[in-house]
Amino acid sequence: MAPWQNKHPSKKAALGAADVKYPEVDPAAIEKLLSRELQQLSFHDRNAIHEEIHGVRNNAPEETPGMVEGMLWQLGVELQQIRSKPAFDRAQALPRTYVNDPDFRVRFLRADLWNPQKAAQRIVSFLDLVLEYYGVEALERPIRLSDLNENEIKILKSGQIQLLPFRDRSGRRVLAMVSDMGFNFATDEKV
């Protein structure tokens, strides 16, 4: 199992970035696979993907209050149909939680282009992750900088992950990730 697949970060040994062994990847094979998959799409679909990636167009449907309300209802139905959702169920049992806030749920619907089934699975996976890394408090309220330890704050300040001060042509925020720049951070940090 690769280090990033370990489900128990508290049990991981603190490895420096240089110690992590990533699988060998053949760039030519990846390029060939991507090309083959794109060629199977229609010209219209390929063009739509290209335009969305470059911020020319947004494939998300127009949001109306009625559409948002209907999708939130469908998302609730999809969440109920997922059998194994321990973190979600635990959040529902808490006296206060932000998990039921429509603004929280709409973020996941937008991320999955208003597909309630995908958004429900994304919510469940997200809550499992934050429960594992941050504990029950992360089911009561959003994660804060004060939840991070000193080393995790150092990683943020290193500049490896930057939210750029402008948006793309579609109004989306731009997140830039830079290589490790020679720093050796432990792989079990929560950032």
Side-chain angles (χ1 to χ4, degrees), residues 10-94:
S10 59
K11 296 178 183 175
K12 285 193 266 183
L15 298 173
D19 298 331
V20 177
K21 303 291 186 233
Y22 294 103
E24 287 295 319
V25 178
D26 178 15
I30 292 174
E31 187 70 29
K32 186 176 179 181
L33 175 66
L34 181 60
S35 178
R36 186 177 69 228
E37 292 295 322
L38 285 172
Q39 289 300 322
Q40 291 178 3
L41 296 173
S42 69
F43 172 78
H44 180 267
D45 290 343
R46 275 195 317 271
N47 193 49
I49 289 169
H50 182 77
E51 287 182 352
E52 183 169 17
I53 288 172
H54 293 283
V56 176
R57 173 166 72 124
N58 187 342
N59 287 335
E62 187 70 30
E63 291 182 30
T64 65
M67 187 270 280
V68 171
E69 186 178 329
M71 289 296 183
L72 284 169
W73 180 81
Q74 287 181 27
L75 176 61
V77 170
E78 292 294 336
L79 284 166
Q80 294 303 317
Q81 291 178 355
I82 297 174
R83 290 186 180 164
S84 177
K85 51 186 190 295
F88 180 84
D89 291 339
R90 192 163 178 188
Q92 297 304 306
L94 295 172

Side-chain angles (χ1 to χ4, degrees), residues 94-164:
L94 295 172
R96 63 173 192 181
T97 184
Y98 68 106
V99 173
N100 297 324
D101 184 335
D103 290 335
F104 171 79
R105 291 184 175 198
V106 163
R107 292 177 194 162
F108 292 88
L109 284 164
R110 286 183 182 132
D112 286 308
L113 296 176
W114 299 93
N115 181 321
Q117 187 175 19
K118 288 181 180 179
Q121 191 55 55
R122 188 181 296 264
I123 287 173
V124 168
S125 298
F126 170 77
L127 293 175
D128 288 342
L129 181 77
V130 296
L131 177 61
E132 181 178 341
Y133 278 103
Y134 299 99
V136 176
E137 209 169 59
L139 301 178
E140 297 175 328
R141 61 168 177 74
I143 300 164
R144 302 177 185 153
L145 281 176
S146 60
D147 294 327
L148 304 178
N149 68 33
E150 187 178 317
N151 198 38
E152 292 159 350
I153 296 290
K154 184 178 174 183
I155 293 170
L156 285 178
K157 288 183 177 181
S158 75
Q160 284 183 269
I161 303 170
Q162 299 179 24
L163 189 59
L164 300 183

